[in-house]
Amino acid sequence: MPPKKRNSGTTQIKELKPSVKSVSPDKKENAELTIKKHREKDAEFVTLCKSLQVTDTVCDRAWMLWKTVQESMEEIPDSQKRIWGACLYVTVTDLDVASFTLTQVQKAVDLNIKQFLSLVRKMDVNLDTISTRVNSVLTRLEKKYDVSLALYQRFEKTCRKIFSLDSDSKEKELLRSCWTMFLLAKGRALQMEDDLVISFQLLLCALEFFIKRCPPALLQPLYQSAINKAQSPPTRTSRRNQSKAKPRPPEPEVDVQLLETLCNENECNAEEVKNVYQTSFSAFLESMDLSRSLDLPQATDLSSQYEEHYLKSRDFDGRLFLDGDKTLLPPKLDLMQVERTPKKNLPEEDPILIPPQTPVRAAMNSIQQLRVDLTSNGDQPSANLAMYFKNCTVDPTEEVLKRVETLGQAFGQRFGQAVGPRFVVLGKQRFTLGVRLYYRVMESMLKSEEKRLSVQNFSKLLNDSTFHTSLLACALEVVMATYGGNCVKTGGYNHGSGGDPAETDVCFPWILDVFRLAAFDFYKVIESFIKAEPSLSKDIVKHLESCEHLIMETIAWRTGSPLFELLRQTLEGLTEQLETPASFNQPLQHNHTAADLYLSPMRPSHGVLPPPESPATPSSQPASQPGPQPASQPGPQAASQPGPQPASQPGPQAAGQAPRLPRSNSLSLFYKKLYRLAYMRLKMLCSYLLSSHPELEPIMWTLFQHTLQHEYELMRDRHLDQLMMSAMYAICKVKNVDLRFKTIVTAYKNMPNTNQETFKHVLIAEEHYDSIIVFYNQVFMQKLKTNILQYASTRPPTLSPIPQIPRSPYKFASSPLRVPGSNNVYISPLKSPRMSPGIMTPRSRMLVSIGESFGFSNRFQKINQMVNSSDRSLKRTLDLGSPPKPLKRLRFDVDGQDEADGSKTGGDSTLIQKLAEMSSTRSRMQEQKMKEDAESRKE
């Protein structure tokens, strides 16, 4: 549950403390259900309400919701009782009352947490059952559960390495107390209980606390020795206690040796964990009066205090992990992931232990890799970077350092507000990593610009405050994504819809709010940042690409964005016009640098596309002409969005008109990418819904593109997909194809990176929001109905060309590439020697590094055996009762055939042929690389 909701319920819980099992939602209303008022309802439903101790108001609203669901669903997906439980949960969440917890309703309807959340979402048939508030709660709850499950699985594994445990009840009680203390510490210290990294660091702190108070006989030798080394000299605590005057209790003593042992065993940074202990965990111990005690805490005391926190949070009871309670059991697929993985080595080989990439291990590896990459970089500009600063006409050094200090203070303060007030120091550590990356990438960019332009004076760029703020924000987003799991708020905006407050979520675009940075300015640096930092992992590159997409979809279109000023200049003929359909069939060039984008349009454009031809669609006519029929949901007619009305078609420069400014490189590239993103989204949705009408896709695209180019004011404070769905519905309407909005949004929910807020919360007029259907009727159709009607005439508008869709504008330097003509042979650049096979992907049977020592000669024989042998290992399936299926053989295509279909192959000649193809491919790749380098030097 969101922390803000938990805090908002605190007052209610304290006043209703007499009931331990459940909490009344309203002081003024009788907590006891009045049975007489609900005689018309199903008796079992009333019994369920009584068992969960809900009020009459909750009972009535949940029953109304059940009736709505019953009428809208053709088939009830589960038993009535389970649907009733889901209706009750949705009702208390919408009303924000504390009637019962998630675990209590799960037990009442006999569902585990994943099943229950899935059932709640299935109820949203008409897309109006689940509010954005409830959806936000479900999303946060699911993430918190995933994090808690990963932490508990790691806790079990770690405890087996620490403690010498058997079935003794006292030893089980030790683990129960440790886990319960961790849950309590996490709940009290963290406002974001779904933060995996900080939660894991708190777990290590709790383990340290219990290990040093545990009898040595219960510890494994490694931790016995760690404690003995730490206890051999006199403790500093005894010297501190010599002072009689104690204005405040002493800080809990950290066993550094023990903490470092724990961190090393769990691949976690010891300095960060120590800071968490000193700033947060120690304060928790003080609040529990445990800091000066040398004894283990009482399990009953910990459990009763966690019980109070659990009732306030109203979500799941984390203690039930210890009991293997079915309400918290993960899906069977998750339990079998390790079992279904085939063996990596042949029987005669020495086993190479590759630990599974659990969420905790993956996070720790990513953080470790980031810290290793930045080890050689300092917190100050390097000598080379300082020289670039000095070569400027106006030395930016002082302003750069001052800006970093100011933004660092803002970052630390907002980080503490979002994560927890005692984690400001942790925020400063992450900011320091971001600063190191910021200086490193800036130096790399300047070296590339110097090589490209043969100049060393970058005064205009390096004195641009927006450039520096954007670059630092991008570096920090990389750091935050590495620590936080690459999260992006797909909704992209928060208009008071009851979603999570911004201060409890550090997902993108949180960093833009912290720095008060326009999304359009931030987008300019993303591509140059990725090119300048080849060490970025594939996941981080994909995350930055997701950020770029989110900016183009919605954030850049917020009121106040500099994007609208550039569009206004284009509208008034002050600059060259936008990219038009005439350039769609040309490949997207990615040779723009940060300097091109941040100094544009002041910098003369170069290498731009030829002047565009006439637009693909005629201009829209006055809105008074008749148009297509509105959507099925009626609504009053409303005026179109306020703002400047764009010209329907930019014409040639008039005589005597002031000369135009050069084309804005930033706006030009933005629209190139926007068109391609928009078409990809439309194409995907059409493939879901209109596979039998392929002729409609180019027509929908023409209307969609026309809207983005000529009616861009419709994008103000809205989402790209809202215009896409409206264009799709409009064309189906005029072409007499039966496609309802309900069907469109149902398919839309299945697309990647979507949020129900996009179609449930659309701007209609100032401060007024409604569904996508109301938007279509009152805004979209009123603005474009004449243009839409032309597609039903005998002379429809000319279709817009389809944009060329590149695979990705970003190259993943470390991504394996498939060898042409083969299926299972991949090549990739040499990995950094510090990376272990455990964190390399994909997990291959054998990793061969050409150019390094390969080991013994018999390993080449094993490669031949792997290729030529007909004996293959059997892949274990999830269904242990069914016979195992044989693995497909390693396939080498010969004349369009392969070994998997039973065709004969030439054995050794096939391998020779494929090796020759690999050599040829390598040569072509080298030639392509040399060609690209030569082109990059042309300017």
Side-chain angles (χ1 to χ4, degrees), residues 18-141:
S19 176
V20 178
K21 294 184 178 180
S22 68
V23 185
S24 172
D26 191 348
K27 296 184 297 180
K28 298 180 181 180
E29 189 175 5
N30 189 0
E32 294 294 330
L33 196 69
T34 308
I35 304 298
K36 295 181 180 180
K37 294 182 179 180
H38 308 288
R39 289 178 179 176
E40 77 285 356
K41 300 180 180 66
D42 192 292
E44 291 187 15
F45 174 79
V46 178
T47 302
L48 177 62
C49 291
K50 188 173 180 61
S51 68
L52 294 173
Q53 299 188 15
V54 303
T55 62
D56 291 330
T57 301
V58 172
C59 181
D60 289 336
R61 293 200 182 189
W63 184 255
M64 292 173 59
L65 179 59
W66 153 248
K67 286 298 184 182
T68 302
V69 171
Q70 191 179 32
E71 293 173 0
S72 60
M73 301 182 83
E74 297 178 359
E75 181 179 352
I76 301 299
D78 217 313
S79 68
Q80 284 190 359
K81 185 176 181 180
R82 289 176 172 176
I83 298 289
W84 291 340
C87 290
L88 286 167
Y89 181 78
V90 170
T91 301
V92 298
T93 303
D94 266 328
L95 296 177
D96 196 19
V97 295
S99 296
F100 50 81
T101 67
L102 175 63
T103 296
Q104 288 170 346
V105 71
Q106 283 181 255
K107 287 183 175 294
V109 299
D110 193 28
L111 286 175
N112 68 39
I113 190 168
K114 289 286 189 178
Q115 292 170 336
F116 185 81
L117 296 179
S118 175
L119 178 61
V120 174
R121 291 189 171 109
K122 286 179 182 178
M123 290 166 44
D124 198 20
V125 178
N126 282 338
L127 309 170
D128 56 1
T129 306
I130 307 301
S131 66
T132 53
R133 177 192 185 90
V134 173
N135 187 69
S136 177
V137 169
L138 296 179
T139 302
R140 175 61 66 88
L141 190 59

Side-chain angles (χ1 to χ4, degrees), residues 507-524:
C507 293
F508 185 82
W510 177 79
I511 190 64
L512 303 185
D513 297 330
V514 173
F515 286 176
R516 298 181 180 179
L517 179 65
F520 183 75
D521 290 327
F522 178 81
Y523 123 86
K524 300 176 187 178

Side-chain angles (χ1 to χ4, degrees), residues 173-216:
E173 196 69 21
L174 176 67
L175 297 188
R176 180 173 295 274
S177 298
C178 184
W179 177 252
T180 306
M181 172 181 274
F182 158 68
L183 292 176
L184 191 56
K186 179 166 70 81
R188 290 189 177 181
L190 268 178
Q191 292 176 197
M192 296 169 49
E193 292 192 58
D194 55 0
D195 189 299
L196 177 64
V197 174
I198 302 180
S199 296
F200 182 60
Q201 292 169 343
L202 280 171
L203 178 58
L204 295 182
C205 293
L207 286 169
E208 188 270 352
F209 177 85
F210 272 82
I211 291 172
K212 65 186 181 185
R213 287 167 173 78
C214 181

Side-chain angles (χ1 to χ4, degrees), residues 131 252 420 424 494 756 766 800 814:
S131 66
V424 174
N494 192 340
Q756 68 165 351
E766 186 175 357
S800 295
S814 59

Side-chain angles (χ1 to χ4, degrees), residues 298 302 397 431 615 718 773 799 817:
Q298 293 293 325
L302 291 173
T397 304
F431 184 80
R718 297 192 180 97
I773 299 176
L799 298 178
L817 299 176

Side-chain angles (χ1 to χ4, degrees), residues 601-896:
M602 295 175 288
R603 179 189 180 109
S605 59
H606 57 278
V608 297
L609 297 174
E613 301 171 2
S614 60
T617 58
S619 61
S620 58
Q621 301 298 321
S624 59
Q625 295 186 11
Q629 295 298 317
S632 57
Q633 178 175 334
Q637 302 301 311
S640 59
Q641 279 297 104
Q645 299 299 316
S648 58
Q649 176 178 340
Q653 183 173 334
Q657 184 179 347
R660 293 177 178 176
L661 295 173
R663 179 197 299 263
S664 169
N665 288 329
S666 58
L667 183 60
S668 175
L669 182 61
F670 180 85
Y671 256 80
K672 286 179 182 178
K673 291 186 175 183
L674 175 69
Y675 284 151
R676 284 159 176 82
L677 175 63
Y679 176 72
M680 286 191 296
R681 306 282 292 171
L682 178 66
K683 183 178 179 64
M684 182 180 297
L685 192 56
C686 286
S687 68
Y688 290 166
L689 297 172
L690 297 168
S691 57
S692 59
H693 296 278
E695 73 281 358
L696 295 183
E697 180 188 303
I699 303 175
M700 293 172 178
W701 165 241
T702 302
L703 174 61
F704 192 15
Q705 182 274 325
H706 168 85
T707 308
L708 292 174
Q709 181 179 0
H710 300 298
E711 304 291 348
Y712 58 79
E713 275 292 331
L714 288 175
M715 279 294 296
R716 185 183 292 273
D717 294 324
R718 297 192 180 97
H719 195 287
L720 179 70
D721 293 344
Q722 293 165 355
L723 271 63
M724 173 187 70
M725 289 184 279
S726 297
M728 172 175 281
Y729 181 84
I731 296 301
C732 286
K733 203 72 175 175
V734 298
K735 293 296 184 180
N736 297 318
V737 175
D738 185 18
L739 184 65
R740 303 179 182 181
F741 251 125
K742 177 181 175 181
T743 307
I744 294 175
V745 297
T746 300
Y748 175 77
K749 290 196 300 183
N750 296 324
M751 293 176 61
N753 302 321
T754 59
N755 189 297
Q756 68 165 351
E757 187 178 345
T758 304
F759 54 81
K760 287 188 173 183
H761 197 73
V762 190
L763 178 66
I764 307 302
E766 186 175 357
E767 301 297 328
H768 173 56
Y769 296 86
D770 213 313
S771 69
I772 183 70
I773 299 176
V774 177
F775 165 73
Y776 175 84
N777 286 333
Q778 299 185 11
V779 181
F780 187 86
M781 189 184 70
Q782 301 304 316
K783 189 72 174 177
L784 292 164
K785 60 183 177 182
T786 303
N787 185 274
I788 295 170
L789 190 63
Q790 293 176 7
Y791 293 94
S793 66
T794 56
R795 300 179 61 185
T798 305
L799 298 178
S800 295
I802 302 301
Q804 281 199 2
I805 307 298
R807 184 181 64 177
S808 173
Y810 309 116
K811 297 177 181 178
F812 303 115
S814 59
S815 299
L817 299 176
R818 186 174 68 87
V819 175
S822 70
N823 290 303
N824 283 353
V825 178
Y826 292 79
I827 59 175
S828 63
L830 176 65
K831 303 283 184 179
S832 172
R834 62 176 173 270
M835 295 179 67
S836 64
I839 60 176
M840 295 179 70
T841 55
R843 302 282 181 80
S844 59
R845 285 181 172 273
M846 186 175 293
L847 299 173
V848 181
S849 178
I850 300 174
E852 285 190 342
S853 176
F854 186 54
F856 301 103
S857 59
N858 61 354
R859 292 180 69 89
F860 285 104
Q861 298 176 359
K862 292 178 182 179
I863 293 179
N864 292 333
Q865 293 174 6
M866 291 172 63
V867 173
N868 297 323
S869 174
S870 60
D871 297 327
R872 300 299 175 203
S873 62
L874 298 180
K875 187 174 184 179
R876 284 164 283 183
T877 61
L878 292 178
D879 185 6
L880 300 180
S882 60
K885 297 179 180 179
L887 286 171
K888 289 184 178 180
R889 298 181 64 185
L890 185 64
R891 297 183 296 176
F892 288 105
D893 298 338
V894 179
D895 297 330

Side-chain angles (χ1 to χ4, degrees), residues 270-527:
E271 191 64 29
E272 289 187 355
V273 178
K274 185 178 178 181
N275 283 331
V276 170
Y277 196 110
Q278 293 175 338
T279 59
S280 179
F281 190 71
S282 60
F284 164 75
L285 295 178
E286 288 291 341
S287 68
M288 298 282 292
D289 199 22
L290 293 173
S291 58
R292 289 169 290 177
S293 174
L294 299 179
D295 300 324
L296 292 172
Q298 293 293 325
T300 54
D301 293 341
L302 291 173
S303 184
S304 63
Q305 294 195 52
Y306 176 75
E307 178 84 7
E308 183 180 355
H309 165 74
Y310 153 65
L311 292 175
K312 291 177 182 178
S313 65
R314 289 179 279 156
D315 51 31
F316 57 87
D317 187 347
R319 295 169 297 183
L320 297 180
F321 281 114
L322 295 159
D323 304 323
D325 193 278
K326 61 182 179 181
T327 61
L328 295 182
L329 282 179
K332 292 183 179 180
L333 181 63
D334 293 345
L335 291 173
M336 302 295 295
Q337 282 298 324
V338 177
E339 297 299 328
R340 68 190 294 264
T341 305
K343 293 182 178 180
K344 304 296 181 184
N345 305 94
L346 296 177
E348 65 271 16
E349 281 188 315
D350 294 333
I352 301 176
L353 298 179
I354 302 179
Q357 279 286 77
T358 62
V360 175
R361 179 178 295 276
M364 295 302 107
N365 284 339
S366 298
I367 294 169
Q368 182 185 21
Q369 185 66 43
L370 175 67
R371 299 183 72 91
V372 168
D373 288 339
L374 297 176
T375 299
S376 59
N377 298 97
D379 304 341
Q380 300 292 321
S382 66
N384 290 335
L385 188 56
M387 186 60 65
Y388 280 115
F389 290 169
K390 291 180 180 179
N391 288 336
C392 293
T393 306
V394 178
D395 191 337
T397 304
E398 184 178 350
E399 287 297 320
V400 167
L401 298 178
K402 183 179 179 181
R403 185 183 301 106
V404 167
E405 181 181 0
T406 302
L407 295 178
Q409 294 174 353
F411 181 88
Q413 180 183 3
R414 291 288 296 273
F415 187 88
Q417 292 174 6
V419 181
R422 296 189 178 275
F423 292 98
V424 174
V425 175
L426 210 60
K428 291 181 179 178
Q429 287 184 321
R430 297 188 185 181
F431 184 80
T432 300
L433 290 175
V435 169
R436 292 178 180 178
L437 184 59
Y438 158 69
Y439 287 138
R440 169 173 164 156
V441 172
M442 190 194 310
E443 182 178 341
S444 177
M445 284 182 175
L446 294 176
K447 286 181 179 178
S448 298
E449 286 291 278
E450 180 182 5
K451 184 178 180 181
R452 185 173 72 97
L453 302 174
S454 300
V455 297
Q456 294 182 337
N457 186 348
F458 300 101
S459 184
K460 187 173 291 186
L461 177 65
L462 293 179
N463 282 280
D464 189 313
S465 177
T466 303
F467 163 72
H468 285 285
T469 305
S470 302
L471 187 60
L472 179 56
C474 195
L476 283 167
E477 183 59 32
V478 169
V479 173
M480 298 296 287
T482 303
Y483 276 86
N486 310 341
C487 59
V488 173
K489 293 174 66 176
T490 54
Y493 46 84
N494 192 340
H495 296 299
S497 58
D500 290 337
E503 285 303 322
T504 59
D505 198 337
V506 295
C507 293
F508 185 82
W510 177 79
I511 190 64
L512 303 185
D513 297 330
V514 173
F515 286 176
R516 298 181 180 179
L517 179 65
F520 183 75
D521 290 327
F522 178 81
Y523 123 86
K524 300 176 187 178
V525 82
I526 294 177
E527 186 171 333

